[in-house]
Amino acid sequence: MMKSLYDVIVIGAGPGGLAAAIAAKQNGAADVLMIDRDLELGGILLQCIHNGFGVEIFKQDLPGPGYAQRFIDQALGLNIEYLLDTMVLDVIPPAAPDEHHRIYAMSKRTGLIDVQARAVVLAMGCRERTRAQIRLPGSRPAGVYTAGTAQRWVNVEGYMPGKEFVILGSGDIGMIMARRLTLEGAHVNRVLEIMPYLTGLTRNYVQCLLDYDIPLHLRHTIKRIIGRKRVEAVETVLVDERWNPVPGSEEVVPCDTLLLSVGLIPENELSRKAGVKVDPVTGGPVVDDGFQTSVPGIFAAGNVVHVYDLVDWVTEAGLQAGKWAARYALGLSTAAGRVPLKAGENVRYVVPHVINPAALANESIRLQFRITQPIEQPVMIEVRDGEKVIARKGEPYARPGEMVNVTLAPKHYDDVQKASALTVSVVKR
């Protein structure tokens, strides 16, 4: 029977939510509840039947469902409660110190659910950008889908959305689907990317496009979609450095299906309703090193904060958020001494946004970020307090499609304690 008050409630049961719930339970939270709108635990991983998951955590190359099942089994083994096919409608922070977070949700089986939590973890993941959001011109025929929708149809439902494909965007889902569709007998004519560089992982470019002779056209986009009832063709065009079409570069490419792989957006409608501060660059909550948001007792983890390259890192973030959510629920966490992190040279943003220097006394803090422009030569990642370099790490290159990491260790404790702000930069060596 569902309780009226939980120590920790996790919204979302994908890789981030599962990890958060497990960590909360393992760190002393007696009553933990996961709420998910889907019909099964595991989130988006259930449709990701390709391998590439678990290399960081398990040192194994697993398919998505196999990776998810390990954490599902662990959560069930800990007797963590969960509600599926349930939509969370609102998260209301406490109005007074003696009150708790209130969560309203709706399920067709139980109706309206009103439940409270001492701490909340937001783990709603992200969603794909649609045709409307990138303003693709042309009529509105059938045959225009996001890459994730096509992935679910092919891998879960057993339907082929078309035979002759063009893919817009070099995001990881699009490249993975280019390979998947080819293996199912379809023809992928080309992948178009408006940027002058790849926006997904290089390994997916090699394994999914190069290995299957699928052309990638950089600095290209779609000028219009042709077709009335069904897509018949797309008109592609080269763009200049300001994304303006280059006259005379148009080409009509026959196809019956257009897939869009043009970016992911963190799902933060609930975060905003709860009053959580959102970073305008990432579209996700501003968080500290324990993944606590600007609202005390509300934590966030996974792609709801920023879009990760690897599910292993989503899991790591979930474990951290769940641990600190449990500590908050038990009255054990402290929040003294915050040092903001700033994006420096060639850096778009940094997560976490602020850190508690005291945390460095016991554990390292991983900083993750994306760069603004590719540097195809050795680079140095620097964490500075003004002109003073606190931490430094070398890498052979830096690319916008690949997340960059640098770690602050306990040995940096004294320097971080003295800092008023830290700046993260990527410079050529």
Side-chain angles (χ1 to χ4, degrees):
M1 183 177 178
M2 193 170 67
K3 302 173 179 67
S4 60
L5 174 63
Y6 288 83
D7 290 324
V8 178
I9 292 180
V10 181
I11 302 174
L18 283 165
I22 290 166
K25 193 79 170 182
Q26 291 175 333
N27 283 273
D31 300 315
V32 179
L33 173 68
M34 289 185 291
I35 306 176
D36 197 280
R37 64 188 178 189
D38 212 338
L39 301 175
E40 298 177 86
L41 300 173
I44 198 68
L45 287 177
L46 301 184
Q47 70 184 50
C48 300
I49 65 173
H50 54 280
N51 62 348
F53 303 94
V55 175
E56 295 278 329
I57 290 180
F58 298 117
K59 310 304 178 187
Q60 293 180 326
D61 195 4
L62 302 171
Y67 181 92
Q69 194 62 50
R70 297 196 178 194
F71 292 97
I72 292 170
D73 292 343
Q74 193 174 356
L76 297 179
L78 291 169
N79 296 316
I80 294 171
E81 294 181 48
Y82 59 90
L83 292 173
L84 298 176
D85 198 16
T86 302
M87 177 70 74
V88 175
L89 305 175
D90 209 350
V91 178
I92 302 175
D98 59 342
E99 295 180 0
H100 304 294
H101 299 278
R102 199 166 202 128
I103 294 173
Y104 292 100
M106 180 65 73
S107 167
K108 65 182 179 183
R109 288 176 296 174
T110 59
L112 182 66
I113 297 166
D114 178 359
V115 65
Q116 297 182 59
R118 293 184 173 91
V120 176
V121 180
L122 305 172
M124 294 86 70
C126 59
R127 64 174 180 264
E128 296 176 280
R129 283 194 174 90
T130 64
R131 175 184 176 179
Q133 289 171 307
I134 62 170
R135 300 179 181 180
L136 271 185
S139 55
R140 300 181 63 188
V144 181
Y145 308 107
T146 62
T149 298
Q151 185 182 58
R152 181 171 182 87
W153 280 11
V154 175
N155 293 347
V156 178
E157 309 296 340
Y159 297 119
M160 279 292 286
K163 296 179 180 179
E164 186 74 24
F165 289 80
V166 169
I167 299 176
L168 178 62
S170 61
D172 291 311
I173 305 173
M175 291 193 288
I176 288 167
M177 281 310 296
R179 175 180 63 184
R180 184 76 179 96
L181 292 164
T182 301
L183 290 172
E184 288 296 331
H187 176 241
V188 180
N189 187 291
R190 66 190 67 184
V191 175
L192 307 170
E193 172 55 58
I194 195 170
M195 301 300 290
Y197 49 78
L198 191 73
T199 59
L201 294 173
T202 302
R203 77 177 188 195
N204 285 330
Y205 170 60
V206 173
Q207 295 174 1
C208 302
L209 300 188
L210 286 183
D211 286 356
Y212 290 86
D213 296 322
I214 299 171
L216 170 65
H217 294 217
L218 298 175
R219 290 181 54 199
H220 277 77
T221 190
I222 290 175
K223 188 173 182 179
R224 64 187 174 110
I225 298 170
I226 302 169
R228 294 184 62 82
K229 291 186 178 181
R230 176 81 192 193
V231 173
E232 298 173 5
V234 294
E235 185 177 12
T236 70
V237 65
L238 177 70
V239 298
D240 62 20
E241 62 277 2
R242 295 189 177 183
W243 299 351
N244 296 315
V246 176
S249 65
E250 295 85 356
E251 180 184 357
V252 174
V253 181
C255 62
D256 60 22
T257 311
L258 170 64
L259 294 192
L260 305 178
S261 182
V262 290
L264 301 167
I265 304 169
E267 289 264 18
N268 276 295
E269 286 72 21
L270 283 175
S271 309
R272 293 185 176 89
K273 290 180 74 174
V276 168
K277 183 179 179 182
V278 173
D279 182 338
V281 178
T282 64
V286 172
V287 295
D288 65 13
D289 52 280
F291 289 91
Q292 184 169 213
T293 69
S294 59
V295 177
I298 297 183
F299 298 75
N303 287 341
V304 78
V305 177
H306 63 148
V307 179
Y308 287 81
D309 292 342
L310 303 179
V311 73
D312 303 66
W313 291 341
V314 171
T315 296
E316 286 184 7
L319 293 172
Q320 188 79 344
K323 179 182 77 172
W324 286 101
R327 291 179 62 83
Y328 184 93
L330 299 173
L332 301 176
S333 63
T334 59
R338 299 294 183 89
V339 177
L341 287 158
K342 299 180 179 179
E345 184 178 348
N346 204 29
V347 174
R348 287 187 59 219
Y349 68 84
V350 185
V351 171
H353 301 81
V354 292
I355 60 174
N356 178 6
L360 281 174
N362 301 309
E363 61 184 15
S364 298
I365 299 174
R366 187 202 294 269
L367 312 182
Q368 295 183 306
F369 56 93
R370 292 189 184 276
I371 67 167
T372 56
Q373 295 292 327
I375 304 176
E376 297 296 339
Q377 67 181 71
V379 298
M380 191 65 71
I381 303 161
E382 296 180 341
V383 181
R384 291 177 174 266
D385 174 18
E387 294 301 314
K388 182 178 181 180
V389 177
I390 292 178
R392 175 179 280 167
K393 174 187 176 184
E395 291 287 357
Y397 58 83
R399 296 165 180 160
E402 301 179 21
M403 190 171 286
V404 185
N405 297 266
V406 65
T407 299
L408 293 176
K411 67 181 180 180
H412 302 123
Y413 174 82
D414 291 336
D415 288 330
V416 175
Q417 280 277 19
K418 299 172 186 176
S420 57
L422 297 177
T423 301
V424 181
S425 301
V426 177
V427 297
K428 297 178 182 178
R429 274 197 272 176

